Amino acid sequence: GWPSRLLSQISFPPSPAPEASSLRYSTPVFSVLSFGAMGDGVTDDTEAFKMAWDSACQAESATLLVPYGYSFMVKPAIFTGPCRSGLVFQIDGTLMPPDGPESWPRKSSKRQWLVFYRVNEMKMQGGGLIDGRGEKWWNLPCKPHKGINGTTRPGPCDSPVAMRFFMSSNLTVEGLRIMNSPEFHFRFDGCRDVHIDTLYIKSPAQSPNTDGIHIENSNNVNIYNSVILNGDDCVSIGSGSHNVDIRNITCGPSHGISIGSLGMHSSRACVSNITVSDSMIKHSDNGVRIKTWQGGSGSVSHVRFENIQMDTVRNPIMIDQYYCPSKGCRNQTAAVYISDIFYTNIKGSYDIRSPPMHLACSETVPCTNLTFSDIELLPAQGQVLLSPFCWNAYGFVTTLTIPPVFCLSEGFPQSVPQIDGNLC
């Protein structure tokens, strides 16, 4: 081929040419190379991506192509819609941000890298790689190091989310590989009708705050057929999320699949209609977890965890209404109300450092209608079955469970506190 030095001086026509493109695409294709991207992994290709986006966004049913065989370094950018319908963002090559906090553009927010704002009907797909180059961020002195005392030091701590979708709808994200994000890999805020499929997300088990997929204030979200190995929750579900269906996920090593944390700083949180099914969680700190801060309000309701295999998981089933990572939290009477949570066919092994089930509900606002059936959790090492831990947890055990949940209070509490005004 041509030496790249020469190539950079030649201005190419838009490629592929419209006639040729019909062989593979029936719609116009906007390759970032046609807009001047170099794809050598060093040159700043941000402007080429923005121009390609603007052109593809204004065309009907267009494909924005990030071609195979190239690495594109793109600085923090916001891609704004709405676009005309049917935009496909085809990532076949490699995308990466500047390398670490020192290389981050001075004027750009350190909290996000690629943001998609008010984009409707976009499909992001491809066999390419999104490489977040997170290591220098994880090593900032402020991060919780696994050092001698796990100490942190003061200093700037903001780290970017790799891919953020904000106030967008009818999104499909599928087939991508994403690794080593500085912080969350994917974050969906204020989105609806999101379909996520066959993602492969990977970061080291010790990387701080590298949640795989975080959902906040989003409705009708499906997450299917994906593999997530990272240093925090595989999937975390924040307040304002409703109708989330998670199926056929392989998760771990990680911190498991979490609803929360909710109710921080006495905030109100509402989460409902969440299903996690047909999934595998392995070598993780937690399995399926609901975590809330004391002092919050609102509710978590209608949650189903079913057909989940646990392999050496430290807290396979966990409700923690005393969530407080810093250990300096005071007791408060208000709480997010947790009810109608179903645990069905959850089997496998637990790491014996913690009991297999931990149901710590608020002192004043009990958890109600927790239902357990076909639970079989055995110690990964040793013979001793640890007993579940319950506190102010009410519900039903419909089949014999291993270990038995003798500590669950049967039925409903005598008085559920006045929480009507508090509900969602």
Side-chain angles (χ1 to χ4, degrees), residues 259-313:
I259 294 173
S261 56
L262 305 173
M264 187 179 182
H265 303 315
S266 302
S267 61
R268 173 191 177 89
C270 298
V271 172
S272 65
N273 292 359
I274 310 291
T275 305
V276 180
S277 62
D278 305 329
S279 292
M280 166 89 163
I281 301 176
K282 52 190 185 186
H283 302 286
S284 294
D285 283 4
N286 308 288
V288 291
R289 170 168 67 153
I290 300 172
K291 48 180 177 171
T292 72
W293 296 77
Q294 291 189 73
S297 63
S299 72
V300 176
S301 62
H302 301 292
V303 178
R304 307 191 80 89
F305 297 112
E306 54 195 5
N307 304 339
I308 298 174
Q309 184 70 33
M310 302 280 178
D311 175 1
T312 323
V313 172

Side-chain angles (χ1 to χ4, degrees), residues 242-260:
H242 305 280
N243 302 333
V244 178
D245 187 24
I246 299 170
R247 195 182 308 162
N248 193 21
I249 299 294
T250 300
C251 167
S254 73
H255 293 182
I257 294 176
S258 289
I259 294 173

